[in-house]
Amino acid sequence: MEHKIDRNNFMMQLATFVVNKRNAFVVLFAIACIYCLTTLNRAKVNTELTDYLPDTTETRQGLDIMDQEFTTFGSAKILVTNITYENALKEARALEEIKGISSVSFYDWDDKDGAYEDDDISDYYKDACALYSLTFEEEEDTELSQKAIANVREQLKEYQTYFYTTVDKDDNAALKEDMKGILAVAAAIILLVLLFTSGTYMEIVIFMMTFIVAIVLNTGTNFWFGEISFVTNAVAAVLQLALSIDYAIILFHRFMEEHETKETIEAVTVALSKAIPEISSSSLTTVSGMIALMLMQFGIGMDLGRVLTKAIVFSLITVFFLMPAMIVMSSKWIEKTVHKSFVPSIRIWGQLVVATRYLVLPVFVAVMIGGCILSSRCEYVYDHGSIEADKMNEYMTSKVRIEKTFEVTNTMAVVVPKGDYQKEARIIEGLEQVDRVDTVLGLSNIEVDDNGKYILVNELTPREFAEVADVDLDLVRILYRFYAIDKEQYGAFMKNLDEYRIPIIDMVDFIYDQKEKGAIDLDDDLSEDVDDLHEALSNARQQLEGENYSRIVFTMTGPVEGEETFQIIDQIRNIANTYYDEVYVVGDSTSDYDLSKSFRTDNVKISVLTALFVGIILLFTFQSAGLPIMLVLTIQSSIWINFSIPPLKGSTMFFLSYLIVSAIQMGATIDYAIVITSRYMDLRKKMTDKKQVVIEALNQAFPTVATSGTILTCAGFAVGRLTSNAIIASLGKALGAGTLVSIILVMTALPQILLVFDWLIDRTEFNRGAVKGKEEAAKGAGKAAEIAGEKKAEGKAEGEEDEAEICGKTAEKSREASEAKEEPARAVKLPEKSQKEITTAGRGR
């Protein structure tokens, strides 16, 4: 039977509909959850940050060209420790025999005349450590490459090894494993915090069920976007839980307040009607931070912002439409599991805050200015290899260990239009002269003889080709003649054929094609040589020459990023631009270079837009021009202080951590400031002593700030400590530290700002006249009560004991009659003591 409430406002009508149709909503949520459980893994997870670079960047365009035109074979660097050179050489030869391994780079002494030189071998063997550089026959994600790396591990299992490779590196799988532990720790933290701040054990169960449903709905619909980044996939669930926990808390404690005087159905309805606008306005500040993220040039902002915005929407829907039904169904258990609230009164802290306002505020201003200056000097890094997690994965552990003994080079590429080998050769010559460029490889510098006299793209006469290939000259002349006919270059017959020049690379292709067609007949040895040479040439072409572009691969020593590295990239680009108008320099260093340039724009955009969006929302929320400035300045100060920590420690900050955390910190932790300010504004209308207003506002807001703030802080630090992915770990640490700083500031500096600048609040309120009249009326009533109390005290002092005694007896009789009248009603309500405890906890929210 539907329970009807006679209310005319829209929120009450909506709440009545939701509560009356609660069973239908439970069924709908059950169906939605079942569907989303089947689609949890349908979203493709992208592990490449470079895919989120703007399309206008050189790196993004170059990577797209390379993906379309070139094949990049898998590679690996493997360090083996505590091994003799002889055994290391033996293992190198064994690795070359593994199917799927194209080559193994190691110093082979047996191929040298006489004793080896220490300088030569030191790049491969040093301090009883051997370093192998492996190249695979196929791309890293093929079945052959996967089997090959597995066989390599099996071959070297007797030694202590360090594998620095992405061939069998699965970031997504590793993150999933990490997140299981992180979610378990986060759940334990949430349970402890809620247990501490709750008034009934059943509310914890309701909260957890609400969160689980919201997370399942959000995660199961991520496939709507096609793919999401590994960053979003890793942190979305934890952030959703931490950012939206307030919504459930607000609704439940509204219910507990209404349940003091109303039956369950009516209490839930009224509570929902009051909670919808309150929760919705609270969520807007968080959403504004996500919208600012979505406006970043770097696509990871759009990816994370839209998923978290969807997460907040699903959290709101779950709280508004499912949680009321859960409360009604659990009403008996709510009453049975009432317990004493463990949240202490912090009025002493409020008194300390009030007493120290003229001491703390100047310190706050100084710290704010210092934080602003120091945070502007924070050194940002853009390469994920430049940051380390507390929990190191195999990839980073191997990189660090290899760098202790050997230098790990950085592989990059120059992509230019195809067709002119002479220009490519001049670019290669220029690259070889650049400081910190170690090796350069292109079709225009691949040697085809032991003496290095000829390279693959040299144009040779028949005699020169016969010398290089060690083939009979008459046979070569016939092949040259066939080539000229096939290419319709009849001018070769008009001149001396011995002067006709053909590039080696083209001649090898032609001979192989003619052999395969059966047009020419070669002896077995020559045929095998042609096959081997053509296979090597095909591999080189797959990597270095495409349909429209050529690629020159080079390695660099030294740091992957930094001003010096970026200057060298500009130098390399200028060398290539001398010969081509269209040039792409691609690699980790150029990716970091592009990220650093987009960061400068995104940094300002995120900071300004987040503060602007939040400020506008606060402007309409408080109907004051002064309060938004106070609140935004408080949280912005916490952001500056948070990102001044790395300069003080002499460390660096990953750029993505700053962009994401600054938006989340402003959008989410501003809620703590709103809670305190809202309490302050309500109480100042009823109380005359502003100091007592601050003390009481802090005491009432503390449970909410403590609950939400503790969960977000602990969740951030848990992510930072428990994941092996350095990017995710950096995000978690920055978020945990930023939330903690925000809590400290809103519980100290903000109340003092409100108290000291209360006059500014008065002068900047939009409806100042109406508000002032209400405040004066409230204060007048309070003053009248004070006067009445004083007169009563004076009357007692003058000997009016008889009148007081009569009044006391009358009051006592009235109280006894009232209790007798209310006794039947108490039988259907909570015990008085428990009800008071819940009421106190509820009002504290």
Side-chain angles (χ1 to χ4, degrees), residues 440-456:
V440 185
L441 177 65
L443 288 179
S444 297
N445 76 333
I446 296 178
E447 298 176 358
V448 294
D449 62 330
D450 294 335
N451 299 323
K453 182 178 179 181
Y454 299 110
I455 59 176
L456 193 59

Side-chain angles (χ1 to χ4, degrees), residues 201-358:
Y201 294 116
M202 192 61 202
E203 73 177 87
I204 301 174
V205 178
I206 294 173
F207 290 162
M208 296 306 293
M209 291 178 66
T210 303
F211 299 149
I212 291 172
V213 171
I215 290 172
V216 168
L217 292 178
N218 186 54
T219 307
T221 53
N222 282 337
F223 76 94
W224 291 353
F225 303 126
E227 70 174 23
I228 59 173
S229 72
F230 71 97
V231 176
T232 302
N233 189 54
V235 302
V238 175
L239 288 181
Q240 179 182 4
L241 196 154
L243 293 175
S244 60
I245 190 171
D246 281 354
Y247 310 155
I249 292 174
I250 290 172
L251 175 59
F252 188 83
H253 289 287
R254 279 287 187 185
F255 162 73
M256 296 305 293
E257 290 178 1
E258 298 297 333
H259 196 35
E260 295 177 35
T261 57
K262 300 179 180 66
E263 295 297 331
T264 300
I265 298 292
E266 186 175 2
V268 172
T269 305
V270 176
L272 182 61
S273 69
K274 294 180 178 179
I276 288 176
E278 183 179 354
I279 295 172
S280 299
S281 61
S282 175
S283 67
L284 285 177
T285 56
T286 307
V287 170
S288 66
M290 300 307 103
I291 292 175
L293 272 181
M294 293 165 66
L295 297 176
M296 285 171 53
Q297 282 186 319
F298 189 38
I300 201 76
M302 171 61 76
D303 181 77
L304 182 61
R306 65 188 182 183
V307 170
L308 287 182
T309 299
K310 180 165 63 71
I312 293 169
V313 171
F314 275 121
S315 295
L316 290 173
I317 291 173
T318 306
V319 169
F320 291 158
F321 297 100
L322 178 62
M323 192 172 165
M326 295 170 63
I327 293 175
V328 173
M329 291 186 293
S330 308
S331 59
K332 291 183 179 179
W333 284 102
I334 291 173
E335 296 175 5
K336 290 180 180 180
T337 59
V338 171
H339 67 83
K340 181 180 179 180
S341 176
F342 303 109
V343 179
S345 169
I346 62 163
R347 287 187 175 84
I348 295 177
W349 172 255
Q351 293 169 2
L352 181 63
V353 168
V354 169
T356 59
R357 61 189 182 280
Y358 295 115

